[in-house]
Amino acid sequence: MKLRFAKIAVLLIVAGIFFSYPVPDGLSVTAWHLFGVFVALILGLILQPYPEPTLLLLITTLASIFVLPLREILVGYTDAMLWLTLVAMMIGTGLKKSGLTRRLGLMLISRFGKTTLRIGYILSFVDLLLATSIPASPARTGGLVYPLAEGVIDASSSGNPEDKRRTGAYFTLLAFVVSMLTGSLFMTGMGPNLINVKLAQDVLGITISWPLWTVGALPGVIGFLLTPYIIYKLCPPATDCMGAVRERARRELGGMGSVSGSEWTAAGIFFTILILWSTSTVTKIDSTLVAFIGISLMLVTGVLDWNDLAESKDMWSFLIWFGAILGFSAALTKLGFFSWFAGIIKLMLPTAGLGEYTILLIVAVLAILPHYFFVSYTGYVVAFSPLIFSFVAATDVPRFPAFFILAYLMIISCTLTHYGNALGPFLMEKGYNDKKTWWGAGTLITVLHAVLYLTLGLLYWKFIGLWY
């Protein structure tokens, strides 16, 4: 209890500094005070004096009393990405209840599961394949890939809670990190990638096509191939050799009998969702609407009933805390804080007398560090990409390398925290992972890819003639 009060005192002191410090020029009092609360909120997510939903409810209440009307913060609960993620969680619940994910998990183990690491690679390549056409990580990984991982987690734990926790921690953290990496390897891997492509054309005068984006990202494939092994070492599962588990999976799979009607129905809905998400660029059907179609089909066909969803504390916990944090971010954006912040950074950035490599290093830093303050990849791109593109345009640095470093690292740096992308809170609510390991792994993966692109990447882009 004393430690909890000490943490709360730290948060109050941090917020209080912003209330007592003079408001900077060009910023409103409300925006400055709200940013102070937001900084305390981010620190609270690290110190964890209370679970996330409790912390967000408390801070939302205090912010509404002292800074901003409550309705301005509650706007976060209308965010489409929040609902896409929430409904993707519901779809995962339906696939699990039908028994389909367990059957698929047993099949993966019995046919390919010589080691846990091998299954990790298989799931990573499934995500890689889907990233070519599904531009939303909550949909791709949360709705399609992670249910397969849950089947493996359940099938390999043998009823041992500690084994399940450790195996779940490995596959859950791997799913998040890999989703960000695959999102960076394809122009269609993340929706906001298209914003960076448009800015590249408008500000830098270069055209980025789908093939060019992927060709430029080839150095990142090395990081992608190393990642399952790195996460395996940072977050080791309960077992490496799956011989006994594999044999047990074969027996259980044989005992399950033929595929049930509920499983066939769930599989049909699964492939319907997959097709609609994969063809969304052609059909123009919104990804969130596709998720609602999927969950509606599950409820109508009886794969799920409402009690299954009402009893899931993970989903409603996610809704409470991530909706609130999105509301803070939206309020700061509306108050002009991030535009002001980007302008301040722009004034501080030097443009004269710097070598090409130094400028590219600055671009990498700008693509990574501000991500600690953003809970939406889209918001991050909208707020900071124009700043970084303007900085690049004011220099003589080669345009294509600067674009690649910016575009790839902005996505990969989502791994720095558990709230930098909507998929993170979804997976963190599974309860397998602690924040120290999660943040440490994200930092390592981000640094690894920054080094890859700033060394091998620069040599590669010169070699293939993209140094202009």
Side-chain angles (χ1 to χ4, degrees), residues 153 182 192 219 225 269 392 410 422-423:
I153 295 167
T182 58
L225 293 175
I269 295 171
V392 171
M410 285 190 92
L423 179 65

Side-chain angles (χ1 to χ4, degrees), residues 17-18 32 47 159 226 253 295 324 387 393 431 435 442:
I17 291 173
F18 288 84
W32 183 241
L47 297 179
L226 290 173
L253 189 61
I295 196 62
L387 156 70
K435 293 181 180 61

Side-chain angles (χ1 to χ4, degrees), residues 24 59 114 146 179 192 200 225 261 267 326 349 372 381-382 404 411 415 424 433-434 437 442-443:
I59 292 182
K114 289 184 177 180
Y146 190 72
S179 185
L225 293 175
L326 281 173
L349 290 174
Y372 282 104
V381 169
V382 169
F404 291 143
I411 303 171
T415 63
N433 300 92
D434 63 89
T437 304
T443 300

Side-chain angles (χ1 to χ4, degrees), residues 9 15 66 80 82 157 172 193 202 206 232 244 336 341 358-359 375 440 447:
F66 295 106
L82 172 72
S157 62
T172 301
N193 290 352
D202 294 345
I206 60 175
Y232 182 86
F341 187 42
T358 302
I359 293 173
V375 298
V447 171

Side-chain angles (χ1 to χ4, degrees), residues 44-382:
L45 292 174
I46 300 171
L47 297 179
Q48 201 75 23
Y50 295 101
E52 280 95 345
T54 302
L55 178 69
L56 265 296
L57 284 174
L58 292 174
I59 292 182
T60 298
T61 301
L62 292 174
S64 300
I65 293 173
F66 295 106
V67 182
L68 199 68
L70 181 61
R71 64 179 179 274
E72 300 292 336
I73 299 176
L74 294 181
V75 70
Y77 292 99
T78 66
D79 189 278
M81 186 57 68
L82 172 72
W83 286 97
L84 169 59
T85 309
L86 182 67
V87 177
M89 294 173 77
M90 295 178 180
I91 291 171
T93 300
L95 294 174
K96 187 174 182 179
K97 183 189 176 185
S98 71
L100 181 64
T101 57
R102 185 167 186 84
R103 183 182 294 274
L104 293 175
L106 291 169
M107 291 173 63
L108 278 173
I109 293 172
S110 62
R111 296 185 182 182
F112 308 106
K114 289 184 177 180
T115 65
T116 309
L117 181 61
R118 185 174 180 179
I119 297 177
Y121 271 101
I122 290 172
L123 293 174
S124 297
F125 276 98
V126 171
D127 200 297
L128 180 72
L129 179 64
L130 294 176
T132 61
S133 56
I134 301 179
S137 58
R140 178 177 70 249
T141 307
L144 301 176
V145 179
Y146 190 72
L148 300 179
E150 285 193 299
V152 174
I153 295 167
D154 290 339
S156 62
S157 62
S158 186
N160 187 316
E162 179 59 19
D163 285 356
K164 184 174 182 179
R165 186 199 65 77
R166 291 179 58 189
T167 304
Y170 168 66
F171 283 113
T172 301
L173 181 55
L174 177 63
F176 177 66
V177 174
V178 163
S179 185
M180 300 305 105
L181 299 185
T182 58
S184 72
L185 294 176
F186 303 102
M187 194 166 78
T188 48
M190 292 281 197
N193 290 352
L194 299 178
I195 299 175
N196 279 331
V197 169
K198 183 68 165 59
L199 286 170
Q201 184 174 3
D202 294 345
V203 180
L204 302 183
I206 60 175
T207 300
I208 306 295
S209 63
W210 194 98
L212 183 60
W213 178 295
T214 301
V215 168
L218 282 181
V221 174
I222 297 174
F224 169 79
L225 293 175
L226 290 173
T227 292
Y229 180 76
I230 292 173
I231 302 300
Y232 182 86
K233 289 297 183 181
L234 292 176
C235 195
T239 181
D240 177 27
C241 181
M242 299 278 283
V245 175
R246 198 176 183 189
E247 184 58 35
R248 189 175 67 246
R250 288 193 180 110
R251 291 197 303 268
E252 185 174 344
L253 189 61
M256 288 184 73
S258 59
V259 180
S260 68
S262 180
E263 289 177 84
W264 279 119
T265 303
I269 295 171
F270 176 91
F271 282 109
T272 299
I273 294 169
L274 173 60
I275 292 169
L276 289 174
W277 271 331
S278 300
T279 58
S280 61
T281 55
V282 177
T283 62
K284 305 302 179 184
I285 300 177
D286 183 76
S287 295
T288 305
L289 176 57
V290 172
F292 271 85
I293 291 171
I295 196 62
S296 297
L297 289 173
M298 285 188 170
L299 290 169
V300 168
T301 58
V303 172
L304 272 175
D305 60 54
W306 179 248
N307 287 334
D308 298 318
L309 304 179
E311 294 170 1
S312 177
K313 64 178 182 179
D314 293 345
M315 287 190 296
W316 305 118
S317 176
F318 161 80
L319 176 67
I320 292 296
W321 81 266
F322 197 59
I325 200 173
L326 281 173
F328 277 98
S329 180
L332 284 169
T333 301
K334 184 178 180 180
L335 290 168
F337 175 82
F338 291 120
S339 299
W340 171 85
F341 187 42
I344 293 298
I345 293 179
K346 185 176 181 180
L347 292 174
M348 296 170 60
L349 290 174
T351 56
L354 296 179
E356 290 179 344
Y357 191 85
T358 302
I359 293 173
L360 291 173
L361 181 61
I362 292 174
V363 170
V365 171
L366 290 175
I368 294 171
L369 288 185
H371 216 139
Y372 282 104
F373 294 101
F374 285 86
V375 298
S376 163
Y377 173 57
T378 302
Y380 185 41
V381 169
V382 169

Side-chain angles (χ1 to χ4, degrees), residues 389-455:
F389 277 113
S390 297
F391 170 66
V392 171
T395 71
D396 294 324
V397 71
R399 287 352 190 191
F400 283 102
F403 171 82
F404 291 143
I405 289 172
L406 165 64
Y408 302 153
L409 293 183
M410 285 190 92
I411 303 171
I412 295 168
S413 61
C414 289
T415 63
L416 289 172
T417 68
H418 64 292
Y419 55 80
N421 177 278
L423 179 65
F426 169 15
L427 296 179
M428 181 60 76
E429 283 300 320
K430 298 296 179 180
Y432 295 121
N433 300 92
D434 63 89
K435 293 181 180 61
K436 181 180 179 181
T437 304
W438 191 289
W439 285 47
T443 300
L444 179 59
I445 294 298
T446 300
V447 171
L448 169 65
H449 283 80
V451 171
L452 278 173
Y453 282 121
L454 287 169
T455 54

